[in-house]
Amino acid sequence: GACASVIAFGRVPLGEINLDCPAGMRVPENRGDSPKHSVLSLGISKYADRIYIICTDECDMTVPEAFGDKVMLLDGFALDECNGLGQYDHWIKASQSHLHAV
């Protein structure tokens, strides 16, 4: 299984995430060919149980049909808002977004 560390700055604990964030955790609506996904990612996708794409721009991107129903888009900016991370730097915000995928 996966594990994650909990980080605390002052009185605000980090490491716990808000899973009730529909704006930040989305099933892709656009399916089809996309130059954003390499032949390698398409090839290894068949071995994955889940595929998480963390994005901040173009979170409505087209994802390949080959990814099936295994893929979820994680909108970093929306996750930051749901988790109240506005005051933290990029590295804290990115780490929290990655926790959503774990």
Side-chain angles (χ1 to χ4, degrees):
C3 64
S5 299
V6 175
I7 304 167
F9 290 98
R11 298 173 58 193
V12 180
L14 294 175
E16 294 185 22
I17 56 175
N18 178 5
L19 293 175
D20 185 21
C21 186
M25 303 170 71
R26 299 185 288 180
V27 173
E29 295 178 12
N30 303 313
R31 302 290 184 138
D33 292 335
S34 172
K36 293 185 181 285
H37 304 283
S38 69
V39 172
L40 177 63
S41 69
L42 292 171
I44 64 174
S45 68
K46 62 185 168 194
Y47 301 107
D49 292 326
R50 291 292 288 161
I51 300 167
Y52 296 95
I53 300 173
I54 300 174
C55 53
T56 54
D57 297 322
E58 300 180 40
C59 289
D60 58 349
M61 72 178 72
T62 300
V63 298
E65 289 285 348
F67 287 178
D69 62 355
K70 301 188 263 189
V71 66
M72 179 174 286
L73 300 173
L74 300 177
D75 182 330
F77 292 142
L79 293 174
D80 293 346
E81 187 173 322
C82 286
N83 288 290
L85 299 176
Q87 73 275 22
Y88 295 103
D89 67 22
H90 165 77
W91 304 110
I92 297 296
K93 292 174 181 178
S95 295
Q96 290 293 104
S97 291
H98 282 86
L99 282 176
H100 278 272
V102 175

